[in-house]
Amino acid sequence: MAPGPLSREAGKTRAALYHAGMPRPVHAIISIPALRRNLSRARELAPHSKTWAVIKANAYGHGLDNALEAFADADGLALIEFDRAQQLRRAGWRKPLLMLEGAFDFDDTALAAREGLSLVVHEPRQIEWLARLPSDRQLPVCLKFNSGMNRLGFDARAMQAAWARLATLPAVGAITLVSHFANSDLAGGADEAIERFDAATAELPGERSLANSAAVLAVPASHRDWIRPGIMLYGATPFGERSAADCGLRPAMRLHSRLIAIQQLAPGDAVGYGSRFVAERPTRIGVVACGYADGYPRHAPNGTPVAVAGVRTGTVGRVAMDMLMVDLGPVPEAGIGAEVELWGDRIPLDEVAQASGTIGYELMCALAPRVPVRVERED
Ligand SMILES: *Cc1c(COP(=O)(O)O)cnc(C)c1O
């Protein structure tokens, strides 16, 4: 796949800088084989369903080009951003593209008709925009039921009326019935939502789509006609208590850097802004070229896991814009230039997220444009 049409300026700069030698030691590695493997995993879990691979937010930080290459076999791609959907069409994606929040205005609706996008309909205004379209082409729509999240969608009664109105519109083609779970990551957390959805849609024809990653992994009854996995494709867990490895997923994004300085602290010496870490004993500290402006969480506390030269240790002191510090106690042989894995194979992204009071989703999406990306195509 030619990288051109999907690379924004940042993406182009990234690639150019990488080939000219990296601007700083920090870099991300995106694994196409891992993305592919995780998509296969989702499809194995739901063998009778078609798959919308969810690629919103720049494919959860992994890059649309990479997603397009890795998810070429998916039945469809799902996203939020209309400019990106247009770019995907220009890059040659002919299969379905589902706009997960639907149109934000009439222009989006017209664009969807031109580009053949499938629109979620969660709100009466969106139906009226569809009513204004010329009838020369039929647009597939996904009518959204509010199953308890109370964010987007119609309640049971409004659902019937919305369906009936959509069915009269000449520009509307197939109507798929969809909903999104608030609690599918908790045991039994999707049961009530499924019951509500089934009750509200019992009399309506059409395909169904309910399952996000957590439901793909844990709620077979939700798989229906189309699954919508996101986070699992990128190799992180949707669960609080079950790791990505336990779910049979492979990390698709690794964040690596190197040590750029070493400090020997005496007892009582502090390190970094605010002197948040104070050595109790003689302590060797490594300074890593990676900070919050690269996407590393500033809220990471002392002891957040990190690997230096393949050995697991922890961060010390406050994460700064461009640097963070690590305890070299467990790895006394490490010197300047030693390899650092911030997350990836040895250090699951989810562990860094949990230590920092967030979730893997946020860390992936926060990977900064200034971080060069290397794409790995072989295992
Ligand atoms: C983001 C999103 C998904 C994917 O969710 P994951 O938890 O990442 O699997 C599925 N459906 C909708 C409507 C979404 O917005």
Side-chain angles (χ1 to χ4, degrees):
M1 184 63 59
L6 298 180
S7 304
R8 285 177 165 176
E9 282 316 303
K12 277 182 208 147
T13 311
R14 254 184 208 179
L17 287 171
Y18 183 74
H19 291 301
M22 287 185 283
R24 284 164 64 232
V26 65
H27 63 284
I29 304 151
I30 303 295
S31 164
I32 302 287
L35 293 169
R36 282 212 181 101
R37 177 69 207 108
N38 294 331
L39 175 62
S40 304
R41 172 91 179 117
R43 300 174 105 190
E44 285 159 21
L45 286 161
H48 307 294
S49 307
K50 292 176 277 187
T51 304
W52 300 104
V54 179
I55 57 158
K56 60 192 178 190
N58 195 30
Y60 291 48
H62 292 65
L64 274 200
D65 285 312
N66 299 326
L68 198 56
E69 180 174 340
F71 303 150
D73 286 347
D75 302 286
L77 301 174
L79 70 170
I80 308 277
E81 306 88 350
F82 281 82
D83 58 335
R84 304 322 299 285
Q86 240 177 330
Q87 289 171 27
L88 287 162
R89 284 291 186 236
R90 258 180 248 138
W93 181 263
R94 292 279 153 258
K95 289 189 265 184
L97 278 176
L98 171 60
M99 307 312 292
L100 290 165
E101 290 179 359
F104 301 96
D105 56 28
F106 175 73
D107 289 348
D108 292 340
T109 314
L111 185 143
R114 279 199 307 280
E115 302 282 6
L117 313 179
S118 312
L119 288 178
V120 162
V121 171
H122 63 78
E123 217 270 324
R125 285 193 318 166
Q126 295 174 322
I127 302 181
E128 295 321 309
W129 295 329
L130 287 163
R132 286 166 55 193
L133 287 180
S135 54
D136 54 337
R137 217 179 302 183
Q138 295 206 312
L139 207 66
V141 302
C142 289
L143 179 59
K144 184 155 189 165
F145 174 64
N146 174 10
S147 57
M149 172 96 88
N150 292 319
R151 227 171 40 171
L152 302 183
F154 296 93
D155 66 20
R157 188 178 304 157
M159 190 77 177
Q160 310 296 322
W163 191 93
R165 171 97 173 105
L166 283 171
T168 66
L169 300 181
V172 170
I175 305 172
T176 299
L177 306 171
V178 305
S179 193
H180 191 47
F181 297 126
N183 297 302
S184 54
D185 55 324
L186 307 175
D191 296 352
E192 196 183 330
I194 294 175
E195 274 173 39
R196 286 186 192 165
F197 175 83
D198 286 341
T201 58
E203 306 297 317
L204 298 176
E207 293 189 321
R208 270 92 170 132
S209 176
L210 298 172
N212 56 3
S213 296
V216 170
L217 287 156
V219 192
S222 72
H223 291 172
R224 311 295 167 100
D225 301 288
W226 287 89
I227 54 171
R228 303 190 308 267
I231 193 76
M232 69 178 294
L233 303 180
Y234 306 100
T237 183
F239 303 111
E241 306 291 326
R242 189 172 157 205
S243 73
D246 284 346
C247 296
L249 304 172
R250 280 176 46 185
M253 178 192 289
R254 282 126 68 200
L255 185 63
H256 286 194
S257 191
R258 292 187 184 277
L259 297 185
I260 59 166
I262 308 273
Q263 297 291 337
Q264 182 64 52
L265 305 187
D269 285 348
V271 66
Y273 287 120
S275 302
R276 198 184 61 184
F277 175 82
V278 180
E280 284 171 15
R281 59 187 77 83
T283 305
R284 219 168 144 252
I285 296 295
V287 180
V288 182
C290 178
Y292 61 76
D294 299 303
Y296 196 88
R298 183 174 174 277
H299 295 289
N302 291 337
T304 300
V306 55
V308 179
V311 178
R312 211 181 150 95
T313 177
T315 61
V316 289
R318 206 169 264 167
V319 174
M321 187 181 287
D322 313 299
M323 283 177 266
L324 58 84
M325 285 68 73
V326 295
D327 177 9
L328 296 180
V331 48
E333 69 285 1
I336 291 181
E339 270 262 4
V340 177
E341 180 189 298
L342 285 318
W343 60 67
D345 294 328
R346 281 192 184 79
I347 309 292
L349 170 95
D350 293 311
E351 275 189 41
V352 178
Q354 196 155 37
S356 312
T358 183
I359 51 177
Y361 296 74
E362 188 181 14
L363 294 192
M364 286 177 175
C365 295
L367 182 72
R370 79 167 177 176
V371 176
V373 175
R374 185 158 71 73
V375 179
E376 200 173 66
R377 294 197 165 76
E378 314 266 304
D379 264 318

